[in-house]
Amino acid sequence: MTSIVVVDDHPAVVAGVRAWCQAAEPPIEVLDSGASVSVAWLDPGDRADVVVLDLQLDITGPAYGDLKRLVDAGRQVVVYTMREDRETALTCLDIGAFTYLTKAEGEDHLVAAIQAAASNTPYTPPALSGALGTDTRANRPKLTQRQIDVLLEWFHCESKEMVAQKLNLTVSTVNGYLDRVRVKYANVGREAPTKAALVARAIQDGIVRVDEL
């Protein structure tokens, strides 16, 4: 059973997410919930397959720092927020969120996004699709420096185990970084399901030169 932890400071939202997850097919287990991101780091929330994160937990602004720490730890994060602006959505993707939903998108899209995140299957809800469709930035998707580091090491190594040893990571963490890179490419319509395809994308986007391979 897929499991989640819900980070949200609105009790009504948490209650709704719990009800939707219970009614999902198959059901999704809500391990814990809370108004602080700490609930995602403590037992049992630290064992959740997916973190559902409200981006606006206080008046200080979007919780980009919390999102980055979760992503850097290899967590699958579905951002679920009232914010509907394009820049916020694209920033969350750049940081490494699995996907981005507005709370107006409701039950069907949230359940589908959780299930996709748990299986590393790309999912682009309507609001995010609109944001990506109007993204005119030159380099997209924008990978984090750590994602680039893992990607480049993988291009030069025979196995993910070797990448893990070189970067002092676990194999599962290496897999997590590579999966998020693939999701980012899939979300912008440039799927890269194989190592060869990722090499091609990296060359196209100037991440690596042919003579460096």
Side-chain angles (χ1 to χ4, degrees), residues 4-7 31-48 50-53 66 70 73 75-77:
I4 68 169
V5 58
V6 183
V7 184
L31 294 182
D32 206 352
S33 63
S36 166
V37 75
S38 62
V39 74
W41 295 107
L42 301 174
D43 186 66
D46 62 339
R47 294 184 275 109
V50 179
V51 180
V52 177
L53 176 67
D66 290 326
L70 288 166
R75 308 293 295 275
Q76 289 281 60
V77 183

Side-chain angles (χ1 to χ4, degrees), residues 2-3 13 15 22 54 76 95 169-170 187 190-191 205 212:
T2 296
S3 62
V13 171
Q22 186 175 4
D54 180 4
Q76 289 281 60
I95 291 171
L169 300 171
T170 65
N187 281 339
R190 300 170 64 203
E191 294 191 8
D205 294 345
E212 294 177 322

Side-chain angles (χ1 to χ4, degrees), residues 153-154 156-160 162 195:
E153 282 295 340
W154 192 43
H156 293 98
C157 291
E158 296 180 359
S159 69
K160 294 174 183 176
M162 291 178 64
K195 186 173 185 177

